[in-house]
Amino acid sequence: MIRPLLVLATVLLTILGAVAGADAAELLAPVLAQSPNVLRGPGLYLNLYKFIPVVVIYLLWTWTTDWVEHDTKELNNVKFALWNSVVFFSGVLGLILIFAIPIYPLSLALLLLAYFVPILVYSYVRNQTVPDDQKVLTPYHLGEVANGLLLKLGLRPMFNRDVAMVDRAGPPITFVGKSAGTAKEDPSRVHRAEESRSFMAAKELVYDAVLRRATDIHLEPTTEQLSVRYRIDGILHAAEPFDRPTGDAVINVFKVLSAMDISEKRKPQDGSFGAKLQARELDFRVATSGSKAGEKLVMRILDNSGAIGKLEDLGMRPKIVKQVRSLVTQPHGMFLCCGPTGSGKSTTLYASLREIDRYQRNIITVEDPIEYHMDNLTQMEVNTKAGQTFAIALRSILRQDPDVIMIGEIRDQETATIACQAANTGHMVFSTVHSNDAVTSLFRLLDLGVEPFMISAALTAVLGQRLVRVLCEACKVPYKPKPEFLRKANLPLEKIDVFYRRPDNPEQVCQQCGGTGYFGRTGIYELLVISEPLRELLRENPSIHKIKAEARKNGMINLQEDGLRQVIQGRTSIEELLRVVK
């Protein structure tokens, strides 16, 4: 569509130029014949000093319009029709103004605005969706263009020399040799790792994983290669593998950085190191284990620069936010978060700690590991190698006059019993439990050996949660849900028009989500508040069916029902909800 219009604009401009450059004696002969007193000259010819800038801008506009057409086709998350129309018709408007307005400086200024403003705005918008090396009109891009011109002229490139040196040094990430829970650095680890021929490959691997928002890196050996997988939004995605010799060398680089024994490849080992990327500080928890094909390594990526969100930012309904805020600010009790590994329990607890006045209350946490760093509270880390467990750390915490205690996880009877005792003696206790939902977490405590009367007296509420992936706003597609499904889910047919899902054609890779159809995650929740009838049920004869019935009577909405809310709002899909909640 754009090219025929460009041809038409070229023809019009040629005609206008021909008319403007024709001899005035011929074009204006009828008029001059009626005015014999008018001084006749050799002819009214075109002013080249005024016309050449117009031609140059026109040629730039035709090239730019053609570039925008191709660029928008390659970038699926940039609107093709919108930006092609804006760039083309703004240029046409500028060309019309140059001939319609007789004041040349004004018409030329309007032509420049009509050309530069749309292309600059488009460049800014498309630069937000592409990697740094693909951005246009940046100092680096302009320098590369200038270098290309210099090379064509047979001259030596003069620009981006510093950037080229950085590229030879690898990605802009710096490894830091330090152990978990300590600020002391060990430069010798990094120096020894830099001696490896695969040190650059290790840097590129970590840098790529961080840019792709990975939370874990899996290096898994096979007979011929070392497979690489990233966990992004809770799902493992394959990355480019290493050949076996390079892969083994990369694993050794990470083992040296983590102060592990590189000669030991069968026994499990664990360690940690850090990294700095621009203004971000990252921690890497490394664990290795032997397998039939060789040594496997898994790295957990912890971003210390990540801001701790509010309760409202976690995906909770306003009613649950109000209830949780009221529960966590009580003077004593026990608030539990439950769910499987990686369901966001620690994030919820930290968001709850934000609701407490950290200046007037003494808050102490004991975690394994410390995932977020907060000011004005004391954070302790479990160190099993040194013999420090949750129970031992909790006993020492109780002698430090705490108001609020956060326990990373209740794993055994001793920790659970001490936590309940602390809640019954005037402390507010936060913790997590691994269980499928809020009701079964009560029986998880009973299975650990805690007395029912202690649970009923200490427990304030249990928040069950899961994380569901959020549909990518750039590529999600609407569809009409089947009436049978809406009836089965007890949803009103007349109030629901469309649901959303990921696109069916994964070959058209979205630049924002990388073709997965999802970008980021949000939570779905169920809140079980321990009322007096529930305390009586726990003390007398705990029954899962009776507790569930009482919870429903109190208005508890389960995980699947809360997930349907996110589906109706278009934030996630039915397929994703069923994947997470059975």
Side-chain angles (χ1 to χ4, degrees):
M1 172 185 175
I2 297 298
R3 287 178 185 146
L5 293 175
L6 287 175
V7 173
L8 177 61
T10 305
V11 173
L12 290 175
L13 186 63
T14 305
I15 294 173
L16 290 171
V19 171
D23 191 348
E26 297 178 4
L27 296 175
L28 304 178
V31 178
L32 296 176
Q34 298 176 4
S35 305
N37 297 327
V38 176
L39 179 64
R40 290 183 174 86
L44 181 62
Y45 287 96
L46 184 67
N47 187 332
L48 294 179
Y49 294 104
K50 296 181 180 180
F51 188 66
I52 288 177
V54 176
V55 173
V56 171
I57 296 173
Y58 166 75
L59 294 175
L60 287 173
W61 168 70
T62 56
W63 175 82
T64 302
T65 307
D66 188 62
W67 172 74
V68 169
E69 180 181 10
H70 287 87
D71 193 56
T72 50
K73 286 180 179 178
E74 294 177 1
L75 302 176
N76 294 325
N77 53 337
V78 177
K79 296 181 180 179
F80 170 82
L82 171 66
W83 288 109
N84 274 270
S85 302
V86 168
V87 174
F88 175 76
F89 287 109
S90 61
V92 171
L93 177 62
L95 293 172
I96 293 174
L97 293 175
I98 198 71
F99 293 106
I101 299 177
I103 304 173
Y104 178 74
L106 176 61
S107 59
L108 182 63
L110 293 175
L111 176 61
L112 289 172
L113 286 174
Y115 170 69
F116 279 109
V117 171
I119 195 60
L120 290 176
V121 174
Y122 171 74
S123 299
Y124 174 79
V125 171
R126 60 97 59 195
N127 283 355
Q128 307 304 308
T129 65
V130 298
D132 290 342
D133 59 341
Q134 297 181 22
K135 294 180 179 180
V136 297
L137 298 182
T138 61
Y140 176 80
H141 174 250
L142 297 176
E144 289 299 297
V145 172
N147 286 338
L149 294 176
L150 290 173
L151 287 173
K152 289 182 179 179
L153 296 174
L155 301 176
R156 183 177 298 177
M158 300 173 57
F159 303 94
N160 295 336
R161 291 183 176 182
D162 294 339
V163 177
M165 292 178 65
V166 171
D167 289 342
R168 287 194 294 271
I173 187 170
T174 304
F175 289 145
V176 179
K178 65 175 184 178
S179 299
T182 63
K184 185 178 179 181
E185 298 183 6
D186 183 4
S188 63
R189 297 192 202 173
V190 181
H191 295 328
R192 282 186 282 118
E194 287 175 343
E195 296 174 358
S196 171
R197 58 184 174 83
S198 297
F199 180 74
M200 200 61 62
K203 287 184 69 174
E204 291 173 353
L205 172 69
V206 171
Y207 184 68
D208 180 54
V210 173
L211 289 185
R212 293 174 62 176
R213 303 180 296 107
T215 56
D216 298 88
I217 303 174
H218 291 242
L219 303 179
E220 301 162 333
T222 61
T223 305
E224 300 179 351
Q225 64 183 17
L226 185 75
S227 299
V228 180
R229 293 195 292 173
Y230 301 149
R231 188 174 294 278
I232 304 172
D233 294 333
I235 303 295
L236 284 172
H237 297 273
E240 186 177 355
F242 293 111
D243 60 81
R244 191 58 189 271
T246 303
D248 291 342
V250 166
I251 288 180
N252 283 339
V253 168
F254 293 130
K255 291 176 70 174
V256 169
L257 289 170
S258 306
M260 296 183 188
D261 182 5
I262 62 172
S263 63
E264 179 56 68
K265 298 183 180 299
R266 294 184 178 182
K267 293 182 180 179
Q269 298 185 74
D270 59 84
S272 62
F273 66 95
K276 294 179 181 179
L277 176 60
Q278 298 173 350
R280 301 168 63 182
E281 292 188 359
L282 307 170
D283 281 339
F284 295 85
R285 307 303 169 106
V286 184
T288 65
S289 61
S291 69
K292 182 179 180 181
E295 190 174 24
K296 175 181 178 178
L297 182 143
V298 177
M299 287 193 295
R300 166 67 59 88
I301 305 174
L302 301 174
D303 190 349
N304 297 327
S305 305
I308 300 170
K310 301 178 181 178
L311 291 173
E312 292 87 347
D313 302 331
L314 304 181
M316 294 183 185
R317 290 179 289 114
K319 182 179 179 181
I320 289 187
V321 170
K322 186 178 179 180
Q323 287 179 299
V324 171
R325 182 174 289 124
S326 174
L327 291 166
V328 300
T329 53
Q330 291 181 3
H332 58 83
M334 185 162 65
F335 179 78
L336 294 181
C337 285
C338 69
T341 302
S343 59
K345 300 185 295 297
S346 298
T347 303
T348 301
L349 289 186
Y350 270 104
S352 301
L353 289 178
R354 282 192 53 164
E355 303 294 331
I356 301 173
D357 188 343
R358 300 194 297 275
Y359 292 93
Q360 295 189 2
R361 306 187 75 179
N362 180 22
I363 304 176
I364 304 177
T365 73
V366 52
E367 308 165 63
D368 182 22
I370 296 174
E371 296 187 22
Y372 298 96
H373 294 274
M374 289 184 70
D375 297 328
N376 302 311
L377 55 81
T378 303
Q379 294 179 275
M380 302 170 58
E381 189 164 88
V382 169
N383 188 349
T384 53
K385 291 182 179 179
Q388 186 181 28
T389 63
F390 277 114
I392 294 174
L394 193 51
R395 291 187 186 279
S396 67
I397 286 173
L398 291 174
R399 294 192 291 270
Q400 297 176 22
D401 187 30
D403 296 305
V404 180
I405 303 170
M406 191 186 92
I407 308 168
E409 181 186 348
I410 293 178
R411 299 175 178 172
D412 49 54
Q413 179 182 5
E414 188 178 8
T415 304
T417 302
I418 297 173
C420 290
Q421 290 172 349
N424 287 327
T425 54
H427 305 88
M428 186 66 202
V429 179
F430 295 157
S431 190
T432 67
V433 176
H434 282 162
S435 62
N436 291 328
D437 54 52
V439 174
T440 55
S441 65
L442 304 177
F443 293 88
R444 169 65 176 157
L445 293 177
L446 291 171
D447 290 340
L448 288 175
V450 185
E451 294 294 334
F453 73 90
M454 291 188 66
I455 299 174
S456 65
L459 200 57
T460 303
V462 182
L463 182 70
Q465 65 181 81
R466 294 287 192 283
L467 291 178
V468 294
R469 292 181 293 173
V470 177
L471 285 167
C472 175
E473 291 293 335
C475 65
K476 69 179 183 180
V477 293
Y479 71 97
K480 184 71 176 177
K482 294 182 180 180
E484 297 81 13
F485 174 80
L486 296 178
R487 293 192 193 96
K488 187 176 180 180
N490 295 322
L491 297 175
L493 277 69
E494 66 280 359
K495 293 185 179 180
I496 298 176
D497 296 326
V498 294
F499 283 170
Y500 288 87
R501 55 174 171 78
R502 65 187 295 267
D504 292 328
N505 45 349
E507 66 274 3
Q508 296 181 1
V509 177
C510 172
Q511 294 293 325
Q512 179 170 325
C513 65
T516 63
Y518 298 92
F519 188 86
R521 289 189 291 177
T522 188
I524 57 175
Y525 302 89
E526 62 178 13
L527 180 62
L528 174 64
V529 180
I530 307 301
S531 60
E532 286 303 321
L534 282 175
R535 295 186 195 279
E536 292 295 330
L537 287 173
L538 283 172
R539 277 196 294 263
E540 294 174 357
N541 184 20
S543 167
I544 190 168
H545 298 293
K546 291 182 179 180
I547 291 176
K548 282 186 176 180
E550 183 63 32
R552 296 291 289 182
K553 189 186 300 183
N554 292 338
M556 187 185 81
I557 295 177
N558 61 36
L559 291 169
Q560 197 169 59
E561 292 169 339
D562 191 55
L564 284 173
R565 172 182 60 91
Q566 301 277 15
V567 173
I568 295 170
Q569 293 175 354
R571 301 199 66 197
T572 191
S573 64
I574 283 291
E575 293 77 15
E576 175 66 9
L577 177 61
L578 296 178
R579 181 188 71 84
V580 174
V581 182
K582 300 298 183 183

